[in-house]
Amino acid sequence: MRGSITEWGGAGSGKWRLRVFVGRDAQGKKQWVSRNFTGGKRDAQTALDELIADVEKGQVKSHVGSVGELLDRWLDDIEPHRSKYTMKSHRRSVEKDIKPALGSIRLDRLTARQLDAFYRSLIDRGLSPATVRRHHSIISAALGRAVKWDMIGSNPAEKASPPGLTRTTAEAPSVGDVQRLVAAAEAEDAVLATAIALATTTGARRGELCALRWSNVDWQRRRIRIDQSLTVINREASLGPTKTHQRRDLAIDGGMAQLLERRRQSQASSAAACGLELDDNAYILSRSPDGLQPCRPDGLTSAYERLARKVGVGGHLHQLRHFAATVAIASGADVGTVSGRLGHADPSVTLEVYAHAVESRDRNLAGVLGRTVLGTGAIRVEADSPTADHSG
């Protein structure tokens, strides 16, 4: 805490002005509290120390602003660096839950105990621990920025205790279910069939699938580039970066390449029938004649769910991403490769979400090692022979 003493009224007047910095307001302007004191310099220093202590305890009224004002400023500050979908989600959390409960609290009066009580109230209302933790992340990030902006001295969210998460297994359809879904889709909806095939072989998110254009396909190298995501906010579609702002160049096999080629030829025929020409800017997943209007994520989800009910397969479109991950890990692919294919920010995310698949692979490895060392046909380790050739 910063403070100063200034003598006024002339040297030896015994009149002092005590000034303590208390932070910045919601607009970023520095805020100070001042007191006048009469007496000796040593007593003035003692009074300054007491004023600093009162400020640190929140016992001195300042104009650092409220929690709600901070949240508004923080949202405006991060908006250029976040996707529209993320900002929509953040603003909904702030306006619906956080500001009604905490918005009027003076920023320097917010405590970890108040935050814990807020989290308990959300759980009591029926919100999931995952949702409460997302609220905590927003609050913590905003308060962390307030510390950097010198609005407060410390972040009370660091001492708060949001609810823990219970690890759940990411459910995925079986290989047979996926094959039935693809077969059923090929018979009645070529766009959906292509979407299912892409989702299960690339592990791409639905917004990433909808953003794919033919220019993303490298036919010679048999690779497909994922570098954008389609988001719909208030019925307005827009293209932006992927969730983790990563570009991924993923290999595809011959079968997937053939399926895409059939899809492109079908699109080109439909365009020609309307007197149009299909170009590389056309979307792979599109129902418009020229391919320039992409399928929307919600529409793709609805089409998939209708087909899944018809085929008798439960679940939702996102589970196809889980399918790609679990099959990849079970096949022996290392976690780093799987993480890169899925577009996770860090392999630790893959380990956390797909721990069950990693554990299953570990069990299989234990069986292989056990059979090798202890079981029938185990490798026999013999003592070195005096005549053995060790030159190699």
Side-chain angles (χ1 to χ4, degrees):
M1 185 65 64
R2 287 161 285 186
S4 63
I5 302 175
T6 304
E7 188 175 17
W8 61 281
S13 66
K15 296 180 179 180
W16 308 89
R17 180 167 289 115
L18 316 179
R19 195 164 182 253
V20 178
F21 176 69
V22 295
R24 298 176 184 268
D25 63 14
Q27 287 70 46
K29 297 177 63 177
K30 290 184 176 181
Q31 300 292 307
W32 305 81
V33 293
S34 298
R35 296 287 187 273
N36 291 330
F37 180 83
T38 301
K41 185 173 183 179
R42 181 175 296 179
D43 291 335
Q45 182 62 56
T46 300
L48 177 65
D49 293 340
E50 292 174 351
L51 179 59
I52 290 173
D54 289 342
V55 169
E56 290 177 339
K57 294 175 183 176
Q59 295 176 353
V60 177
K61 185 173 180 58
S62 62
H63 300 284
V64 296
S66 66
V67 173
E69 290 172 333
L70 167 67
L71 289 167
D72 290 340
R73 183 183 173 195
W74 175 75
L75 288 169
D76 291 340
D77 189 67
I78 67 170
E79 188 163 19
H81 313 290
R82 301 291 191 277
S83 70
K84 290 184 178 180
Y85 182 84
T86 297
M87 291 308 302
K88 177 185 177 182
S89 176
H90 282 357
R91 291 189 185 280
R92 182 172 60 241
S93 297
V94 167
E95 297 299 330
K96 182 180 179 182
D97 295 322
I98 302 175
K99 283 176 70 173
L102 305 174
S104 62
I105 298 175
R106 211 174 77 195
L107 189 56
D108 57 351
R109 293 282 184 88
L110 183 67
T111 65
R113 180 177 293 181
Q114 289 172 313
L115 291 175
D116 287 345
F118 171 57
Y119 300 150
R120 286 195 299 272
S121 71
L122 294 178
I123 292 293
D124 292 342
R125 279 173 44 194
L127 274 66
S128 69
T131 298
V132 177
R133 288 188 70 89
R134 282 196 294 271
H135 287 11
H136 169 73
S137 296
I138 290 172
I139 294 169
S140 183
L143 291 171
R145 192 67 58 91
V147 173
K148 291 182 178 180
W149 287 337
D150 288 329
M151 297 176 71
I152 51 177
S154 61
N155 183 349
E158 294 178 352
K159 298 180 180 180
S161 303
L165 290 178
T166 302
R167 193 178 76 184
T168 59
T169 299
E171 297 182 1
S174 67
V175 173
D177 286 342
V178 170
Q179 291 173 341
R180 287 162 54 208
L181 285 165
V182 172
E186 285 181 336
E188 58 182 73
D189 188 343
V191 175
L192 184 57
T194 305
I196 294 173
L198 283 168
T200 52
T201 57
T202 67
R205 304 173 180 89
R206 64 175 191 168
E208 296 170 343
L209 295 173
C210 292
L212 287 174
R213 303 176 189 260
W214 289 113
S215 57
N216 290 96
V217 181
D218 185 335
W219 299 100
Q220 290 186 334
R221 297 172 61 231
R222 283 187 182 172
R223 302 189 74 83
I224 190 164
R225 184 181 69 253
I226 297 176
D227 57 4
Q228 288 187 307
S229 183
L230 184 74
T231 303
V232 179
I233 303 294
N234 296 327
R235 300 185 179 181
E236 180 180 347
S238 62
L239 288 171
T242 63
K243 183 177 181 180
T244 54
H245 294 253
Q246 294 178 340
R247 165 178 166 165
R248 315 197 299 279
D249 286 296
L250 309 181
I252 56 175
D253 72 344
M256 189 70 236
Q258 291 176 5
L259 184 149
L260 288 174
E261 180 58 34
R262 292 195 301 271
R263 172 64 189 149
R264 182 174 172 82
Q265 291 176 357
S266 175
Q267 270 191 304
S269 297
S270 298
C274 298
L276 303 170
E277 185 176 345
L278 190 72
D279 62 32
D280 281 349
N281 284 324
Y283 291 93
I284 297 176
L285 303 179
S286 172
R287 301 187 188 278
S288 63
D290 57 4
L292 296 181
Q293 295 297 320
C295 288
R296 298 197 169 197
D298 286 347
L300 203 61
T301 295
S302 298
Y304 174 82
E305 290 177 349
R306 287 194 297 269
L307 179 73
R309 286 195 297 268
K310 183 176 181 180
V311 174
V313 176
H316 46 79
L317 182 65
H318 192 75
Q319 289 183 342
L320 300 184
R321 176 172 165 84
H322 299 328
F323 172 85
T326 52
V327 169
I329 294 172
S331 71
D334 64 273
V335 173
T337 300
V338 177
S339 176
R341 195 166 184 86
L342 296 175
H344 282 158
D346 188 272
S348 63
V349 178
T350 313
L351 283 170
E352 181 178 351
V353 176
Y354 299 105
H356 64 289
V358 176
E359 290 170 0
S360 176
R361 180 179 162 193
D362 184 56
R363 283 194 297 272
N364 292 336
L365 177 59
V368 171
L369 293 172
R371 288 191 299 273
T372 301
V373 176
L374 304 173
T376 305
I379 298 174
R380 294 185 179 182
V381 181
E382 299 179 352
D384 288 343
S385 168
T387 60
D389 179 10
H390 296 290
S391 62

